[in-house]
Amino acid sequence: MSNDENPRGEQPEGGAPAAPDASVPPPATEVSGRQRLKAGLWPPRLSRAQLIVAVLLFGLGLGLAIQVRSTSDDSALRGARQEDLVRILDEVDDRTQRLEDEKQRLDDQRTELENSSDQAEEARKQTLEKERQLGILAGTVAAQGPGITLTITDPSGAVAPDMLLDAIQELRAAGAEAIQVNGVRVVANTYFSGDAGDVEVDGRKIEAPYEFTVIGKPQDLEPALNIPGGVVQTLEKEQATVLVERSDGIAVDALRPAQRPDYARSSSP
């Protein structure tokens, strides 16, 4: 039966279904915008130049992050007041001035030796003066002069030996020339041991209140203890009470016996 005879394209009874017309194309599948975006992004198509730029940007971002973190770290001086910063700067200037004064003193001594008519007598005087100074540093002679007294009261027994050692080091850095703690002379090899509330100095037990008697320039010693994050603030965090008093008449009279070295000998003829 022809198409003209069967215009509706009905399937003849008992016959096979009519074959599709090959001349008609199948309908196109519609692609959504999301599918096109996904196809454009994945898999990624990176050129070598784009990869290098990405690595450089990553390195730059990492460096900036490290820099920001390092600059944001807490510092002992970060929260200091302006007057505290000025005092710290003055302390540094004072230390520099002390070094300049010491240099000038040594230059003057050399000039006196070179110009003295009796160089032997001048050398003897300077030797005696040097011996006196070394005796003060070694703790074999008493000393007196201006300075401060530092009194630490420890009602809770929380002050540890290392805190007292920090006070000694801070005082030395500020120009202390002679120190004694509770009747024990502090010298170059002095050490603190024990536990909080049970402190020993050079093997000798001391008890609170801890009293430091210090000879030096009071205008340098007291500010050195009160810097932000320094000795006074550290002790006060442990519920200790700190009292600093200036005086023009400080006496450091605790003595150490002179010790002869076992191995060291003078190299001068």
Side-chain angles (χ1 to χ4, degrees):
M1 181 186 296
S2 66
N3 288 337
D4 292 337
E5 296 176 350
N6 187 12
R8 295 184 181 180
E10 295 178 353
Q11 180 178 339
E13 293 183 4
D21 192 348
S23 62
V24 179
T29 303
E30 183 178 356
V31 179
S32 66
R34 179 177 297 179
Q35 290 174 328
R36 289 196 298 269
L37 178 61
K38 182 177 180 181
L41 293 178
W42 190 263
R45 300 176 181 85
L46 293 178
S47 65
R48 182 178 181 182
Q50 290 174 328
L51 182 60
I52 293 174
V53 171
V55 172
L56 291 176
L57 289 176
F58 173 78
L60 178 60
L62 181 62
L64 289 175
I66 294 174
Q67 179 67 23
V68 170
R69 182 176 180 180
S70 63
T71 55
S72 62
D73 289 342
D74 291 335
S75 173
L77 301 179
R78 184 177 181 181
R81 299 172 300 175
Q82 182 177 0
E83 52 267 29
D84 293 330
L85 296 175
V86 172
R87 186 171 63 242
I88 294 171
L89 181 60
D90 290 340
E91 180 184 348
V92 174
D93 292 338
D94 290 340
R95 292 181 185 180
T96 303
Q97 185 61 45
R98 287 198 302 270
L99 292 175
E100 292 291 341
D101 293 342
E102 178 68 13
K103 177 179 179 298
Q104 184 61 44
R105 186 182 64 81
L106 294 175
D107 290 340
D108 293 342
Q109 288 182 356
R110 183 185 63 183
T111 302
E112 290 176 3
L113 282 173
E114 292 174 348
N115 299 334
S116 176
S117 58
D118 190 350
Q119 295 186 2
E121 179 63 18
E122 185 64 30
R124 187 186 70 84
K125 291 181 180 179
Q126 293 191 14
T127 300
L128 292 175
E129 177 63 20
K130 193 66 175 178
E131 181 182 2
R132 185 187 68 83
Q133 295 175 358
L134 293 176
I136 293 176
L137 296 177
T140 58
V141 299
Q144 62 180 2
I148 64 170
T149 56
L150 167 65
T151 305
I152 302 172
T153 304
D154 183 23
S156 60
V159 175
D162 60 327
M163 298 178 185
L164 301 181
L165 179 60
D166 288 342
I168 294 292
Q169 293 174 336
E170 197 65 53
L171 290 168
R172 282 174 169 168
E177 298 176 352
I179 307 174
Q180 69 182 32
V181 182
N182 287 33
V184 180
R185 187 69 170 266
V186 176
V187 293
N189 59 350
T190 290
Y191 64 93
F192 287 76
S193 59
D195 300 313
D198 185 19
V199 180
E200 294 184 357
V201 183
D202 294 337
R204 178 176 171 181
K205 185 175 180 179
I206 61 174
E207 297 180 353
Y210 306 109
E211 184 174 295
F212 292 65
T213 307
V214 188
I215 294 178
K217 188 176 180 181
Q219 295 84 345
D220 295 339
L221 299 176
E222 183 178 2
L225 298 173
N226 287 291
I227 61 175
V231 173
V232 172
Q233 286 191 0
T234 300
L235 292 170
E236 289 178 346
K237 289 180 180 179
E238 301 297 334
Q239 307 303 316
T241 302
V242 183
L243 176 63
V244 181
E245 296 179 315
R246 301 186 185 187
S247 176
D248 293 330
I250 296 293
V252 175
D253 50 12
L255 303 181
R256 289 292 188 98
Q259 296 181 352
R260 183 173 181 176
D262 294 329
Y263 305 102
R265 296 292 183 268
S266 174
S267 59
S268 59

